[in-house]
Amino acid sequence: MRVTSDPTTRAALVTGASSGIGAAFARALAARGHPLVLVARNEDALTDLAAELEVPARVVVADLTTHDGLARVEAELAGVDLLVNNAGSSTYGELGEQDPDDLEESVLLNVLAPTRLTAAALKAMPDGGGILNVSSTAAGRDDPAIAAYAAGKAYLETLSRAARQEAEQRRITVTVVRPGRTCTAFHERSGEESGHLPAWRWQSPEAVVEAALAAHERGEDEVTVAPG
Ligand SMILES: NC(=O)c1ccc[n+]([C@@H]2O[C@H](COP(=O)([O-])OP(=O)(O)OC[C@H]3O[C@@H](n4cnc5c(N)ncnc54)[C@H](OP(=O)(O)O)[C@@H]3O)[C@@H](O)[C@H]2O)c1
């Protein structure tokens, strides 16, 4: 059993590492010395990021909405001490207006993927490991524009609280990270028009990550990081 607090021997796997908050997690964890496994679909972005980092960084190109992609990432967890379930997406607009395939893809990514990866990590991870599950301040909000997204994040928070209890005896810390509006590609990808919002409504991905890692290192179960 590996039990060590030396970051250079504690590998971290970050999903959605090709942009936004996930790329910021990768950079911050690399700066702390963690070897990394970087997961997303955009191979070029992952390869560029891996080349920039001064730690060993393995690129795993995987679509987490597919069984094959999930199975390949689950297999990576055998050597991982810290899992960051960060990949996520949203559709924007009323439920009845959504393209059903887009809706399904988002639910698979926000709900099924972190469920399977959290379960696999609990099985594979050594004592003293960690899991960060990226939720949102929108979790549980009854906003018709993001109904499935908000419901999916509420699910992730419930799952995380239960996983934390299960993992406690093995000193595995499960932390929910709840960012508010963060300046990434997320909103544009969802179809939300948010360019008109003032700067004070936004925060940087780096601010989210520093607060998240600090809370996780303190063993906290959740942290909300909002602009301002
Ligand atoms: N931005 C915000 O305001 C905000 C607020 C609260 C919570 N969050 C949460 O923060 C997390 C990160 O979002 P972000 O803001 O950094 O957005 P982002 O820049 O759009 O990043 C999303 C990441 O998820 C990956 N991804 C998307 N679909 C995927 C798939 N099918 N398989 C594997 N990876 C996939 C993307 O990579 P590829 O496209 O290369 O696959 C990308 O790396 C999400 O869970 C989001 O819900 C964001």
Side-chain angles (χ1 to χ4, degrees):
M1 182 198 310
R2 289 168 303 165
V3 181
T4 167
S5 56
D6 176 4
T8 63
T9 61
R10 289 170 56 84
L13 185 149
V14 181
T15 69
S18 62
S19 70
I21 296 171
F25 263 118
R27 291 191 177 97
L29 289 165
R32 285 161 162 81
H34 292 273
L36 289 169
V37 183
L38 307 174
V39 177
R41 294 167 303 179
N42 185 334
E43 183 169 12
D44 288 347
L46 292 179
T47 306
D48 288 352
L49 177 61
E52 162 201 324
L53 302 174
E54 289 177 359
V55 293
R58 183 171 149 70
V59 165
V60 177
V61 179
D63 182 342
L64 293 174
T65 66
T66 67
H67 284 288
D68 169 66
L70 277 171
R72 282 188 295 110
V73 178
E74 283 166 353
E76 294 289 330
L77 288 169
V80 161
D81 301 85
L82 178 64
L83 165 65
V84 184
N85 272 314
N86 162 78
S89 70
S90 183
T91 58
Y92 191 82
E94 294 196 347
L95 207 48
E97 302 299 321
Q98 299 301 308
D99 175 280
D101 292 336
D102 290 349
L103 197 56
E104 178 176 324
E105 191 179 312
S106 177
V107 173
L108 289 173
L109 184 64
N110 296 337
V111 174
L112 183 64
T115 301
R116 279 189 54 162
L117 296 183
T118 298
L122 288 174
K123 189 177 275 185
M125 196 170 265
D127 291 10
I131 301 174
L132 282 119
N133 284 339
V134 179
S135 176
S136 168
T137 51
R141 193 187 295 164
D142 46 359
D143 178 346
I146 51 167
Y149 177 74
K153 292 298 192 185
Y155 167 99
L156 180 62
E157 293 199 7
T158 304
L159 181 94
S160 303
R161 283 194 294 273
R164 184 180 173 89
Q165 289 181 42
E166 180 180 334
E168 219 160 33
Q169 280 196 328
R170 292 169 50 209
R171 293 180 298 102
I172 292 174
T173 304
V174 182
T175 303
V176 166
V177 182
R178 203 178 289 129
R181 197 171 276 279
T182 307
C183 197
T184 69
F186 179 86
H187 300 277
E188 194 179 334
R189 282 180 165 188
S190 77
E192 180 194 8
E193 285 178 19
S194 53
H196 61 287
L197 292 173
W200 63 265
R201 296 279 308 273
W202 299 90
Q203 62 191 345
S204 71
E206 290 75 21
V208 173
V209 166
E210 285 309 321
L213 291 177
H216 183 71
E217 284 157 12
R218 288 193 299 267
E220 291 173 11
D221 17 346
E222 58 179 51
V223 58
T224 298
V225 198

